[in-house]
Every structure is written in C-alpha cells, then in structure tokens.
Amino acid sequence: MTAVIFDLFGTLLQIRNRQNPFRQLLRLGSQQGRAASPGDLRWIMTNAGGLQEAADFFGIKLSSTQLIELQSYLELELESITLFEDALPALALLRHHQIRVGVCSNLGGPYCSVARDLLPGLDGYALSAEVGLMKPDVAMYQHICTQLEVAPSQLPGSDAPNVLMIGDSWRCDADGPRVAGIEGYHLDRSGAGRFCDLLEFVTGINTSRG
C-alpha cells in the first residue's frame, strides 16, 4: 500500500453547530418562486464562491440584512468545525509507515480553507470547490491520485491494493473509488459497520510496505 485517501466531513472533520446557510439560501429562493434544481448542490460544491456568488448565480435576491444573517450562520458553522479525536493519531500512524495521505471531499468554497487549516501538510487535497469536480466522478479520484503521485491499481505481483480510501458515504467513499481502481471502505461511526473509527481502520489494514 502506498497511499490512503480520506473523506473529510463525517470522517476526519465534524460540524458541531450546523446552520446550513446554503440550504437556507435556497429556501429563500423557493419563497421567491424559484424552483429547486438537482444541479443546485453540484454548483455549490464545485464553485469557490460564497453565499453572494451563489445567490447571484441562482437569481436569488438578498437584502443586506438577509445576506448578513446568512453570513453569520456560515461563520457559526465554520467556527464549529473540529477534528474527530481519532483523526490526527490515524494520520500520524500512516505517516510513521511512510504511507502518503490525501483527502478527497465534496464541500463548498468557504469550507476549503478551514479544512486546509485543520489538516495542514497533507500529500494531496482534492476539494470539490477547488477542483470543479464531485465524488463519485471518476475524474475526482484520478485527481487526488495524481496529486499523491500514486497509481490507483494493485502492485505488480501482489493481491494487496495500492491505494485505499475511507469515508462515511457508501456511494462516494466505498463504491465510487472502486471504479477508479481504489479499494474503498465505509466508515460507520455509529458502530454498525466493519469500521467505526479511523484508528481501527488504520490498524486493521496492512501498514507494512514490505
């Protein structure tokens, strides 16, 4: 194994005070007669702009008071983002075994800098708002593998996977990566699945390179 890729929210990071400012923005649009679209979330997750940029794109009119209120909700949410207790120990253990570490996550533009600040110095960052792609797009997984300088396939002559990924979404973090040749695993912090914390995952996989 040469690299492990992590999802962010629900995996390495948690939001302790959810305010859902972008969802509130879309609700205001609905009150103005704008019909919600399946593409709304994708635009939010693949563009680096904030609330005003999203409102402009969606044609949602915001008063100065509404914008200030939404921005305050966003700041409350961003300030509440913290690492799970097992995050840094798990990353440290992988680094001890000289395994490259990256993150691959769907998140809006304002959340990217917070994630980078809380997890500095990783070997790769594939953040949807920066890349313009979303999991489970195959290109998203290919992007993080390029950053990590690893090939998402098995090592010659070995049954062990070369690149692993773990996250709290079956679709995006377990099933999706497999299409790109990455061995995906599901993290279930409720305790119902195979892995309920990251240290269990890291110690449960083969961290030896020889």
Side-chain angles (χ1 to χ4, degrees):
M1 180 194 358
T2 58
V4 175
I5 303 165
F6 292 87
D7 171 51
L8 281 178
F9 291 102
T11 304
L12 292 172
L13 303 177
Q14 58 184 323
I15 299 175
R16 293 184 176 274
N17 186 5
R18 287 194 175 272
Q19 299 291 323
N20 300 310
F22 283 94
R23 187 178 300 173
Q24 293 194 50
L25 172 66
L26 294 176
R27 285 175 184 161
L28 287 174
S30 178
Q31 293 170 9
Q32 295 174 15
R34 178 188 180 274
S37 165
D40 291 350
L41 177 63
R42 185 174 186 90
W43 191 94
I44 292 169
M45 293 292 185
T46 57
N47 286 272
L51 289 161
Q52 184 63 69
E53 290 81 1
D56 292 342
F57 179 83
F58 295 134
I60 300 172
K61 298 178 180 179
L62 292 178
S63 67
S64 58
T65 300
Q66 288 173 322
L67 179 58
I68 290 171
E69 185 175 26
L70 287 175
Q71 193 64 39
S72 69
Y73 293 146
L74 176 61
E75 292 300 326
L76 284 173
E77 189 161 287
L78 294 176
E79 290 170 0
S80 77
I81 297 173
T82 60
L83 290 156
F84 281 104
E85 289 185 3
D86 56 351
L88 293 183
L91 297 178
L93 184 56
L94 289 171
R95 289 189 173 280
H96 175 73
H97 288 278
Q98 298 181 322
I99 294 171
R100 299 178 71 80
V101 176
V103 291
C104 182
S105 184
N106 294 339
L107 72 171
Y111 299 80
C112 294
S113 60
V114 176
R116 286 179 175 273
D117 288 344
L118 288 171
L119 293 162
L122 300 184
D123 300 303
Y125 299 83
L127 310 180
S128 63
E130 296 177 352
V131 179
L133 298 166
M134 276 185 75
K135 298 180 300 183
D137 296 347
V138 173
M140 186 68 159
Y141 307 113
Q142 293 170 336
H143 182 85
I144 184 60
C145 286
T146 298
Q147 285 199 11
L148 295 173
E149 299 180 340
V150 295
S153 60
Q154 291 182 336
L155 293 169
S158 172
D159 292 330
N162 193 22
V163 184
L164 278 60
M165 180 168 183
I166 187 167
D168 66 331
S169 167
W170 276 105
R171 178 171 178 259
C172 293
D173 306 318
D175 297 333
R178 291 170 187 163
V179 179
I182 300 167
E183 187 67 30
Y185 291 88
H186 181 246
L187 177 69
D188 187 341
R189 289 191 175 276
S190 72
R194 178 182 175 187
F195 295 113
C196 62
D197 65 69
L198 295 178
L199 275 174
E200 181 186 23
F201 168 71
V202 170
T203 55
I205 61 178
N206 180 16
T207 54
S208 173
R209 299 187 64 181

